Amino acid sequence: MERRVNYENDLNLMATELRLGLPGCGDDEPQRKTNPSIRNNKRTAPEISEVSSSESSSSITMSGSDDQDSPPPAKEQVVGWPPIRSYRKNCLQSSKRNEVEGMGMYVKVSVDGAPYLRKIDLKVYRSYPQLLKALENMFKLTIGAYSKREGYNGSDYAPTYEDKDGDWMLVGDVPWEMFISSCKRLRIMKGSEARGLGCV
Amino acid sequence: STRRSSFPDEVLERVLSLLKTHRDRSSVSLVCKDWYNAERWSRTHVFIGNCYSVSPEIVARRFPKIRSVTLKGKPRFSDFNLVPENWGADIHAWLVVFAAKYPFLEELRLKRMAISDESLEFLAVSFPNFKALSLLSCDGFSTNGLAAIATHCKNLTELDIQENGIDDKGGSWLSCFPESFTSLEVLNFANLSSDIKFDALERLVGRCKSMRVLKLNRSVSLEQLQRLLVNAPQLAELGTGSFSEELTFRQYVELESALSNCKNMHTLSGLWDAKGIYLPALYPVCTHLTFLNLSYAALRSDELAKLLAHCPRLKRLWVLDTVEDKGLEAVGLNCPLLEELRVFPADPFDEEIIHGVTEAGFVAVSFGCPRLHYVLYFCRQMTNAAVATIVQNCPDFTHFRLCIMNPGQPDYITNEPMDEAFGAVVKTCTKLQRLSVSGRLTDLTFEYIGRYAKNLETLSVAFAGSSDWGMQCVMGGCSKLRKLEIRDCPFGNAALLSGLEKYESMRSLWMSACNVTMNGCRLLAREMPRLNVEVMKEDGSDDSQADKVYVYRSIAGPRRDAPPSVLTL
């Protein structure tokens, strides 16, 4: 008679199996009180899955907002298994995110007065006019033309970006490649603040 | 009547001050009263493996001349979220005592402790001679605390921030080092993700001429790395930032040149998002590397193989399992001096993944690296035969940590439990100090451990065993056992109580999701008053079950800072 041994299952099939032979033969746990595999009351909900590890105080730039690339919820997971530190798990998740995006460059875009932010992939664009057109479409506003002397003067809106040093710069001043490599986020300024830019 | 010591105390103290390890010093202090006193007056560094085993007042009373403290707090399973928030291990009470008793404190090394920004500020202003701060796997603080350290610690030589749960509020803390500050030798901020002001970093590295360890975070680019290295060719340990931006040919050449000038470099890490095409820039450094940490660089097997061909002197290697068995074959072929290997999983939670490493990779390494004595190996399949071969090739294992990631998984070829694998490990590796087991295991594994693992000090067990007998074998046989951590095993009160005599000679015991009851714990607490028996209850669990049990010896009595979810019996 074929012996079927199923360890992942919560049913203890061994106990109810019909076999020829004296009781007590066979190599397995006669007195096992509980199944040593995953216990029901320790499972985390599937949707918590990979980010169950994030402690509130972790340095997370990746928690919360990024949902467009979260992998499908894993099969029921056990808390704290495999035994990998939260820090390492978070780093791996962040790498995966980069891979999933195909090394895209997603940056947040805020518009003064808008209720929520958007995200765009800068790698999709090849030039400033392309980017500005996309922003205009996305937010239904007009940005106007850039001039070196006057910036976006004449328009109600001015696109600005935060660079690697944390400074807010006017979009368009530097070559496109340089902009791409230093842009951390975009902010489309509105009103008097906007009209002030480019007049300095 | 006792004979008086034949030489004066000062001489004895002088001699004893040459003893460095805390174990030697503990032995010496037990010889006689004179030696106890001489030892306590000459000790400058104290190591406390469990912060609740003793109180800061007791430490200060016994050792008046401490200048360096190492403290460990939470149980190790807190790294994997098994310990409730606010569990304890707060450093502050210690700092208050140290400020009063050790105003000349120079070094503080903490592991799994809770530290607030207020504590870091207090530390920064209370100890004028403070030199070295190392935080590993701690939490509760933010970059504001680091700013306080940078601002006030004029004599700082070491700031080592590793794998902590930090609230990263931005990189401005690094700019808090004054322009006049030049003493830094070790700077590790790889843990942090936000951008730092590169100019400030460049100036800091430029003026700290004694800097030998520099570990950058991911926000530092390759181009910036090159600029730093040009001013710091003396570095012995380097953690790069991101290793992936687009470089012009000239930039690549400059980077390679800067790296090749680092003649003292023996440790390399970082390499975030490493792109294979830039790895050749590392070749000049690789020839004298002894430790290479690629555990954040998802390299393929061919990329690793090419790199390792240039690393003949490697002793320690950490990689991701993206290198697969083929990559590990390259390890075996190129690194005959290898002593330590750690293979981490790139996708630990994805059950659909079919790549990663298998038993074949581990076996390949064992054939090429006979000096291997430390291994941490995450895999999805293993066989008893493979492990037997591995330990036959490498009998000197001191640390054997095997994690078969699917809980309770048997030998995938024979479908048998993995008992014989670990049996082979403990029978062959007589120097074994640390063991982590996994896979489908019956009590037989623990019989083997109890019978053969006579030097075992640390044992980690998960989803294993058949009955109380397993744990009883370990408690009865492993005379040198100091730390035992168990989760999700069918060990109950009989098993727990079989260690009654043993727990006072151990640092701690952890048992979670086992079959221990509150009554069993109460009995233990009653019989052994010098142990602290703590139970962490989970919401919604049966009142009589002891969900998580943490038992440790202490001369400080039960602790008074336990949160409501932790019951001290």
Side-chain angles (χ1 to χ4, degrees), chain A residues 7 29 57 59 81 165, chain B residues 163 166 197 405 440 487:
Chain A
Y7 302 106
E29 332 62 49
S57 53
S59 64
W81 189 264
D165 294 321
Chain B
E163 303 202 5
I166 310 181
K197 283 239 181 304
M405 288 192 274
R440 169 130 167 64
R487 62 165 293 179

Side-chain angles (χ1 to χ4, degrees), chain A residues 2 11 20 22 46 57 88 99 101 140 143 148 168:
Chain A
E2 194 190 48
L11 298 174
L20 297 174
L22 295 171
S57 53
R88 184 172 285 282
E99 274 168 40
E101 293 166 4
K140 310 282 178 286
I143 293 175
K148 213 164 176 67
W168 285 91

Side-chain angles (χ1 to χ4, degrees), chain A residues 87-158:
Chain A
Y87 171 72
R88 184 172 285 282
K89 278 193 278 206
N90 294 334
C91 288
L92 294 176
Q93 277 175 281
S94 154
S95 297
K96 266 179 79 168
R97 200 161 277 111
N98 282 341
E99 274 168 40
V100 167
E101 293 166 4
M103 301 304 280
M105 281 194 58
Y106 281 88
V107 298
K108 290 183 187 172
V109 187
S110 62
V111 174
D112 291 355
Y116 53 85
L117 281 61
R118 302 296 302 271
K119 265 203 164 179
I120 57 168
D121 180 356
L122 290 179
K123 278 262 150 71
V124 161
Y125 309 102
R126 299 266 172 275
S127 67
Y128 285 120
Q130 273 185 15
L131 171 64
L132 295 176
K133 193 113 178 81
L135 290 174
E136 284 178 336
N137 283 341
M138 188 182 257
F139 294 101
K140 310 282 178 286
L141 43 78
T142 314
I143 293 175
Y146 165 83
S147 79
K148 213 164 176 67
R149 221 161 59 88
E150 311 213 344
Y152 293 89
N153 215 13
S155 150
D156 277 348
Y157 292 93

Side-chain angles (χ1 to χ4, degrees), chain A residues 30-43:
Chain A
Q31 316 146 10
R32 199 197 310 187
K33 294 193 178 89
T34 56
N35 191 307
S37 66
I38 304 166
R39 285 162 67 118
N40 275 316
N41 59 352
K42 298 297 173 289
R43 287 187 172 121

Side-chain angles (χ1 to χ4, degrees), chain B residues 221-488:
Chain B
S221 70
L222 278 176
E223 196 243 322
Q224 290 172 332
L225 172 66
Q226 185 265 340
R227 282 161 63 181
L228 291 173
L229 289 177
V230 157
N231 283 326
Q234 77 282 1
L235 285 177
E237 298 185 27
L238 173 67
T240 73
S242 173
F243 215 76
S244 75
E245 85 217 35
E246 305 282 324
L247 288 181
T248 65
F249 180 66
R250 211 193 84 198
Q251 284 172 322
Y252 174 85
V253 165
E254 282 175 351
L255 176 64
E256 190 184 35
S257 164
L259 282 165
S260 66
N261 276 336
C262 298
K263 309 282 186 211
N264 294 338
M265 203 172 282
H266 55 70
T267 293
L268 186 62
S269 60
L271 300 166
W272 308 90
D273 316 311
K275 274 201 186 141
I277 46 163
Y278 296 142
L279 293 179
L282 299 171
Y283 292 169
V285 167
C286 287
T287 38
H288 33 90
L289 272 190
T290 55
F291 179 18
L292 180 56
N293 180 353
L294 297 170
S295 63
Y296 295 103
L299 295 188
R300 296 186 317 254
S301 52
D302 55 302
E303 292 169 331
L304 179 67
K306 278 198 216 114
L307 187 59
L308 290 181
H310 298 262
C311 304
R313 303 229 181 97
L314 219 51
K315 289 192 181 165
R316 300 171 66 197
L317 176 64
W318 297 15
V319 290
L320 280 175
D321 65 358
T322 51
V323 304
E324 301 187 333
D325 290 334
K326 251 183 143 276
L328 294 181
E329 280 169 34
V331 174
L333 288 172
N334 290 292
C335 305
L337 302 179
L338 200 70
E339 297 176 15
E340 174 179 330
L341 175 68
R342 301 195 195 199
V343 182
F344 295 94
D347 275 302
F349 305 108
D350 194 337
E351 308 253 337
E352 308 304 311
I353 292 288
I354 52 171
H355 52 252
V357 296
T358 72
E359 78 280 6
F362 198 169
V363 169
V365 173
S366 74
F367 275 112
C369 308
R371 296 192 197 187
L372 200 62
H373 69 82
Y374 191 121
V375 80
L376 169 62
Y377 200 81
F378 284 85
C379 58
R380 289 185 172 86
Q381 64 187 49
M382 188 51 62
T383 68
N384 289 307
V387 176
T389 303
I390 288 160
V391 295
Q392 196 170 27
N393 294 337
C394 304
D396 297 329
F397 273 112
T398 54
H399 297 68
F400 192 91
R401 303 165 64 188
L402 176 62
C403 182
I404 302 167
M405 288 192 274
N406 195 13
Q409 182 172 297
D411 177 320
Y412 80 100
I413 291 184
T414 65
N415 229 28
E416 282 172 6
M418 296 297 295
D419 296 335
E420 293 308 318
F422 294 103
V425 172
V426 294
K427 284 177 203 167
T428 315
C429 306
T430 52
K431 300 182 209 159
L432 196 68
Q433 290 168 27
R434 181 173 181 183
L435 179 65
S436 298
V437 298
S438 59
R440 169 130 167 64
L441 301 175
T442 72
D443 285 344
L444 183 56
T445 295
F446 303 101
E447 282 182 33
Y448 286 142
I449 293 174
R451 201 180 321 156
Y452 295 104
K454 292 307 178 187
N455 285 317
L456 193 65
E457 298 179 15
T458 304
L459 178 63
S460 297
V461 185
F463 306 103
S466 329
S467 71
D468 287 334
W469 173 240
M471 186 171 163
Q472 287 167 335
C473 288
V474 171
M475 298 316 299
C478 298
S479 45
K480 292 199 186 167
L481 196 65
R482 292 188 306 115
K483 287 178 282 184
L484 179 57
E485 46 186 30
I486 301 173
R487 62 165 293 179
D488 294 89

